Amino acid sequence: MAAALRLNTSLSTLLVVLLLSLTEATYSGITVDLIQRDSTESPSYNASHTHYDRLYKAFARSISRANHFRPSLKSKSSIQSNVIANGGEYLMKISLGTPAVEVLGIADTGSDLTWTQCEPCEKCYKQNLPLFDPQQSSTYGNVPCNSSPCKALDTASCGTDKNTCQYGYSYGDQSFTNGDLGVETLTIGLTTSHQVTLPNIVFGCGHNNDGTFSEAGSGIIGLGGGPLSLVSQLNNSIGGKFSYCLVPTENSNVTSKINFGSNGLVSGNGVVSTPLVAKDPSTFYYLTLEGISVGNKRFAYKASSKAVASNEGNIVIDSGTTLTLLPPEFHADFVSAVEKAIDAERVSDPRGVLSLCFRSKDEIDIPIITAHFTGADVKLKPINTFARMDDDLVCFTMIPSGSVAIFGNLAQINFLVGYDLKAKKVSFLPADCTKH
């Protein structure tokens, strides 16, 4: 069977500003709105960019983000939040300190440490919001060197002040943050009547930060699996559960959702689940991809590189990476089948980003592509696997990579994707995310 491809030219990647609101103080469930980056509601919206420019730039960032998966460490009942799409990133709106100061950070399932730019600033990238000043907060405290949070950072340092743990965090794309590890009161909520205050949240107060960060954001909200992530710090309160539902990117005025706690439970007819695999680093969420089918023809996962070896936990599922990255030899096998199944002229991507493109101004028939995870067959629709890159150009959004395998967020559109860290599984449920 084949499905008709209908891709609006306004397709862009996902960045999200999460405006969290909790209905009760027990934190058992959290629901978050996700707003696409290139909608007019996004702080990163640039009217001078064409739809295709935004898409190509987002895909280039997606490839660069693969380096992010090799980071090095140098030195209550219901929450709701808006998320604004920003090129594969999610911005999450929270408040820190007493009195509360607004912080807008990239919500990142591929990072642990939550950090924001702080005064005094030795070196900071430009941001729209004022910098957080810990000296103006009555609830800020330093994390001492002999504490568990400090020891969780493998190369944390203390210098001459043993009462302050200093952190360093860098990424493969040369972005970095350095500063002091602190504890602070974190407030989340859309309105004052639906806010929850979380005391003693460990975060990084960055005094030296630079890289590819957007000025719309103040830092990063770590939603990974490591001990310092916000998810891990709230683990017992939210039962180790969170989920999200990403709307098609052409629906720029409809928000996606991310849920925590009881609201993050994914259940019902059509749910499939696959085990989370424990691996180092614990930051990332590893799944086992056994193969991919194009129509009725199945191709077994294979890889020659140790980085993407075909054992358990061979692929990372990530909400912040746009494209899906797969081992070159595996990618080549099923891409050949995809090409044969499509009745259109194959052409090269003029910008050299994507490996399989077709010339067509009209709809083209796309074969059903199924991702076979252990215990979970996830049937992908055309919007999950192809993107219109120009008026007459349609390209496949899965690319080869010998360094890391990632199941990206375009492949997750219109699925309710649930993480249950206590049951150690990820679940998928086909959904109309415009209605969640």
Side-chain angles (χ1 to χ4, degrees):
M1 294 292 292
L5 173 66
R6 295 181 178 176
L7 292 172
N8 190 294
T9 58
S10 66
L11 181 66
S12 89
T13 55
L14 299 169
L15 160 118
V16 195
V17 177
L18 300 162
L19 312 171
L20 300 167
S21 98
L22 293 130
T23 59
E24 297 185 26
T26 56
Y27 325 143
S28 62
I30 302 169
T31 300
V32 177
D33 286 337
L34 309 177
I35 304 168
Q36 296 171 18
R37 167 195 179 155
D38 291 320
S39 73
T40 54
E41 298 177 58
S42 168
S44 296
Y45 179 76
N46 188 331
S48 68
H49 292 166
T50 69
H51 301 311
Y52 305 128
D53 285 340
R54 295 182 187 117
L55 191 55
Y56 270 114
K57 288 180 179 179
F59 285 178
R61 284 192 297 270
S62 188
I63 295 169
S64 175
R65 181 175 163 83
N67 291 323
H68 168 76
F69 288 84
R70 296 190 298 274
S72 62
L73 293 173
K74 301 188 208 171
S75 37
K76 293 185 174 197
S77 180
S78 178
I79 301 177
Q80 187 170 45
S81 175
N82 288 331
V83 181
I84 300 177
N86 186 17
E89 302 163 348
Y90 297 93
L91 290 178
M92 178 172 175
K93 187 176 182 181
I94 62 173
S95 295
L96 283 176
T98 307
V101 175
E102 184 177 296
V103 171
L104 203 58
I106 299 168
D108 190 1
T109 58
S111 291
D112 286 333
L113 183 66
T114 294
W115 63 268
T116 188
Q117 298 200 113
C118 289
E119 296 279 12
C121 192
E122 176 185 338
K123 179 180 182 181
C124 288
Y125 62 88
K126 182 181 179 182
Q127 69 175 55
N128 295 334
L129 292 173
L131 298 177
F132 178 71
D133 188 349
Q135 294 185 0
Q136 301 301 314
S137 173
S138 63
T139 48
Y140 176 83
N142 289 324
V143 170
C145 291
N146 60 356
S147 64
S148 296
C150 189
K151 293 177 181 178
L153 296 177
D154 292 341
T155 54
S157 61
C158 292
T160 58
D161 185 1
K162 298 298 182 182
N163 293 320
T164 303
C165 177
Q166 297 174 333
Y167 76 91
Y169 204 97
S170 65
Y171 304 90
D173 64 357
Q174 307 306 312
S175 300
F176 63 87
T177 175
N178 299 282
D180 299 330
L181 210 59
V183 291
E184 185 55 284
T185 296
L186 184 150
T187 303
I188 49 181
L190 286 173
T191 64
T192 54
S193 61
H194 291 88
Q195 286 185 337
V196 166
T197 298
L198 309 170
N200 300 319
I201 296 296
V202 177
F203 80 109
C205 206
H207 301 292
N208 182 3
N209 326 284
D210 204 2
T212 59
F213 304 109
S214 165
E215 64 186 55
S218 314
I220 284 181
I221 310 298
L223 301 175
L228 292 185
S229 79
L230 186 60
V231 169
S232 295
Q233 291 188 64
L234 298 179
N235 189 23
N236 291 331
S237 299
I238 62 175
K241 297 180 180 66
F242 72 97
S243 66
Y244 48 75
C245 201
L246 304 177
V247 302
T249 49
E250 66 264 26
N251 297 105
S252 59
N253 295 321
V254 180
T255 60
S256 300
K257 295 288 190 296
I258 184 168
N259 312 283
F260 298 86
S262 60
N263 291 355
L265 179 65
V266 176
S267 61
N269 293 332
V271 171
V272 293
S273 300
T274 187
L276 274 168
V277 179
K279 290 179 64 175
D280 290 327
S282 61
T283 300
F284 309 132
Y285 297 110
Y286 300 93
L287 307 180
T288 301
L289 182 64
E290 297 179 346
I292 288 180
S293 291
V294 179
N296 294 323
K297 188 168 185 179
R298 179 164 173 161
F299 300 87
Y301 184 96
K302 63 180 181 179
S304 58
S305 168
K306 288 184 179 180
V308 287
S310 53
N311 52 13
E312 288 190 343
N314 56 23
I315 192 166
V316 173
I317 181 171
D318 183 44
S319 64
T321 301
T322 311
L323 300 171
T324 290
L325 282 62
L326 297 168
E329 51 271 76
F330 175 51
H331 181 270
D333 279 353
F334 73 83
V335 159
S336 177
V338 172
E339 180 182 3
K340 292 177 182 177
I342 294 178
D343 185 18
E345 177 191 2
R346 179 171 180 176
V347 295
S348 298
D349 178 2
R351 304 198 196 188
V353 175
L354 301 172
S355 58
L356 179 65
C357 296
F358 298 92
R359 183 75 64 198
S360 178
K361 290 185 177 180
D362 303 320
E363 297 175 9
I364 61 176
D365 286 338
I366 304 296
I368 294 297
I369 295 174
T370 304
H372 301 288
F373 297 100
T374 299
D377 293 339
V378 180
K379 187 176 291 187
L380 304 175
K381 296 181 179 179
I383 199 167
N384 300 120
T385 56
F386 277 81
R388 185 166 289 282
M389 305 302 296
D390 210 332
D391 290 338
D392 61 349
L393 185 69
V394 176
C395 295
F396 193 48
T397 55
M398 296 183 177
I399 65 171
S401 169
S403 61
V404 63
I406 300 173
F407 193 66
N409 62 33
L410 289 181
Q412 301 174 55
I413 286 174
N414 273 347
F415 284 95
L416 189 57
V417 182
Y419 298 68
D420 189 331
L421 306 186
K422 291 194 173 180
K424 298 180 180 179
K425 66 179 181 178
V426 171
S427 300
F428 300 87
L429 176 65
D432 180 353
C433 290
T434 64
K435 297 179 180 178
H436 276 263

